[in-house]
Amino acid sequence: MSDEEDVMQKARTRFDDLCRALNMDEEASTEAWKSYESMSRNFTLEGNELHWLGCALYVACRSSVPTVGKGTAEGNYVSLTRILRCSEMSLIEFFSKLRKWQDMTNLPQDFRQSTDRLERNFTVSAVIFKKYVPIFKSIFKAPSEEPPRVHRSRKQRRHPCTVSEVFNFCWVLFVHAKGNFPMISDDLVNSYHLLLCAFDLVLTNALMCNARKDLLNPDFKGLPEDFNNKDYRPSAGHFCFIQQLCELHDGLVLEAKGVKEHFWKPFIRKLFHKRILRGKEDSLTGFLDPMNFGDSFLSLSRLYEEHVLATGSLDERIFTGEGANENIGTPGPCLCEGMENQDSTTYRLSTNIPALALKVSTPLTGRRYIQEVRLSSPLSSAMKSLGRLHTLLSGTKHGPSAKLTETLRGCARDPSSVISQRLKEMFDIYSQHYEDSGADSKVMEKELAVKYFHLAEALYYRILESIIEREKMILGDTDLSCILEQDIFHRSLLACCLEIVTFSYRPPGDFPNVINIFQLPAYHFYKVIEVLVRSEQGLFREVVKHLNQVEEQVLESLAWTSDSPLWQSLHSAKVPSCQEVMPPQYLEQNEETNTGSIPLTPVKSGPDLRTNSIVKGVSPSPTSLQDRYSSPPTGGFRRRLFVDPVEGETSVNSTSSSAPQTSIPKTAQASIVTAIPAGQTVFTVTTNNGQTMTIPLQGIANESGSITLIPVQMGGATLQSLSAQTLTGTLAIQSPVTRPAAKPASSSLRKGSLSLFFRKVYHMASVRLRDLCAKLDISSELRRRIWTCFEYSVVHCTNMIKDRHMDQLLMCAVYVMAKVTKEDRSFQNIMKCYRSQPQASSDVYRSVLISGRSQASITSDPNKQSSAADSSQDP
């Protein structure tokens, strides 16, 4: 028997033992073993083989048809908790291994989404449990202060509940409620408010039950003033501690009360109605009574177990059970062990590891402006973000303000009705998306979707008003009808506002799903991000960081997909080089670049190159919406909205026989657009913001270079005599005489939306490359050569990026140039350094487009790679 056969035989023995321990059905076990055998032949499965067997069994269980029970169920009722326990795997290890298993087995997208949702639910619960312990201790007495249980006779079997039992009961009540609302189960803000509702209910029951006053902490600030009096009796009215809990523990009162009325109360009433909770259904009290608590806790636990088995969810009682730290895979506090007694390093580790999925890392391109805040928890950041959003929208309404309404009516073509109709259509699309989601609680899901959309609509009108004001500052009194009729602009703006609202409730947001719902091309969507950030200065820093991440996702991959409108734009215009789109002050200068032997490369930092900078004192970018949407939209958006030259056309800057129509600067009081006869001499003036005005010229140039202009009659309008000196204050003149004025260094830069896109791409790539080279200890000379290779591939081999990721090209450029210059860097080491970057994703190097449209996965063993389709041809 060969070594490989011997290894597989031992694995089979362990697999059979695992299946017997789990009482696994034959169909699922057969499918799991086939999958494990296949993966073992094609991949090197590092680590404990029992962990991989557990992953194979979990996938088989979730994919099989239920064999017992009734109703709708996902899988064969095998508990994930039991699989983890029998395979000796912690929860964090499981999620790590399962992600790799999904990549290797190429599981369908639906399965991946369900496991992503499972991991997000765990992450949200882990973050909330960190708050659960201190909140519980502030309300109830510590277990150490609890008096010993008095021995009772057989006739007195009903014992009053202990603090430890209340601790477990309250957590089970919360996680069961959370699991019954799929749309908020991974919603950090609403889940936290659901927890406060659970505390409110249990605290109310403890006060209303006369025998349970001893459970409460007398120092809790939310208790009635006369609580410590010996003759205290609860009042007859209903108690509500939501406001006090929010004030003491960083909740949002309006949000928490909304969750209580629309989600919590109907759910608890249903539990009382089904006699899961025993007591008074009208007042939702009595379950802490000694005669009711035992039955209520037992029934609730059974109901939760059924829900976990039927949905394949994680049993979140793992947080309160014995050995919770080992089962989860990270050390953390328990009820009896105060956080203040824990080692600080250990506690930071336990706090940060589960929360990484909810934390917004500052992208490399934004770290010059926004520093990392490592001490803030995801929950506190989410609360601050949502609180800032509510502050922004306080006093606003769903419709436009009076000022915005007046502005829209002042346009040559009032777009108000079109805007309203567009919002209504988008609302119907968004609502329909959640109706078709197949969720059990469709009514409540739609209510939450409506709430998100209405908040986004109010934010949309606010930001639209700010954008119009900013455009007027740049363009003067120019009519904005063309801009405000941009359908793709408005749809993108609303989608971006919706992403902000979603992110505030559910970090890390819903991108790119939000643009998929409205079928918005990522290449068009990204254009509105900078406009929004610059127009609204009140956004919370985490929101700005998130939008920065969204923009980078578009620049690095989403804009390069096969169906992206970017490729249609490139049919009529070549890809610009870095030097053609990057202002000179942002390019690295050296002796060799002056000779032309090495192309110019972007500098490490410059004066506010990042377009989403929020540094105080930095003047806003003069780039207007007109510049961003100057290239005509492609695909379904074919109307040409602006009169600027299309990307790839050459604008006239000097004497010519004809000139294109151009926008009149804001200094002009009247717009004169007439045909200029062929052969007519013209000169062009350029304003500070890049706009040009072409004027037919009849004049005399004297020896000093000044020009005396003669009045010209054009279509009944007379241009008065002007001296050239009156135009030189703020305008750069391209003189038609033989001695033209020196052109500014940036005048040769290509303009338009396509050029702006590539400027952002080059900047992002240069920042990432510099970071990578610094970690790999690569010299400046080699880095410039790597940049040359990368830029050449972008400009001359653009199809290479189609359906690929920008980081793949960067890593390959580093590897190739290091190889040919004899400064070898292993690809493994390159990937190791890449993984330390904030945007790094394992999909970038695990799933790579090799040829045609085939995907291949990179593994640690080069002899064990999944085969790509050799018959496919390179694009």
Side-chain angles (χ1 to χ4, degrees), residues 657-805:
S657 58
S658 62
Q661 295 180 355
T662 57
S663 300
I664 305 300
K666 65 179 182 180
T667 53
Q669 296 299 318
S671 176
I672 304 176
V673 181
T674 62
I676 299 176
Q680 173 68 57
T681 301
V682 301
F683 77 82
T684 302
V685 292
T686 306
T687 63
N688 289 337
N689 60 19
Q691 289 186 300
T692 59
M693 178 172 64
T694 303
I695 302 176
L697 178 65
Q698 289 186 11
I700 302 173
N702 54 36
E703 294 179 356
S704 63
S706 62
I707 306 171
T708 301
L709 302 179
I710 302 174
V712 179
Q713 187 74 23
M714 292 175 50
T718 301
L719 297 179
Q720 299 298 324
S721 297
L722 299 171
S723 66
Q725 285 77 6
T726 61
L727 299 174
T728 58
T730 58
L731 303 179
I733 302 178
Q734 287 84 38
S735 175
V737 296
T738 56
R739 296 192 309 180
K743 294 166 65 176
S746 61
S747 62
S748 61
L749 292 179
R750 290 176 57 174
K751 298 180 180 179
S753 61
L754 191 63
S755 298
L756 181 60
F757 171 78
F758 278 98
R759 181 191 301 177
K760 289 174 176 284
V761 167
Y762 286 136
H763 173 66
M764 179 190 72
S766 68
V767 172
R768 292 182 181 181
L769 179 60
R770 285 178 178 275
D771 179 78
L772 204 57
C773 290
K775 292 172 181 174
L776 290 167
D777 194 24
I778 289 177
S779 64
S780 297
E781 180 182 357
L782 179 55
R783 173 178 52 78
R784 287 193 289 268
R785 295 181 184 276
I786 294 170
W787 177 260
T788 302
C789 175
F790 170 78
E791 184 183 6
Y792 184 90
S793 65
V794 172
V795 174
H796 300 286
C797 309
T798 316
N799 276 345
M800 188 185 299
I801 322 175
K802 185 177 289 186
D803 290 325
R804 291 189 173 95
H805 197 287

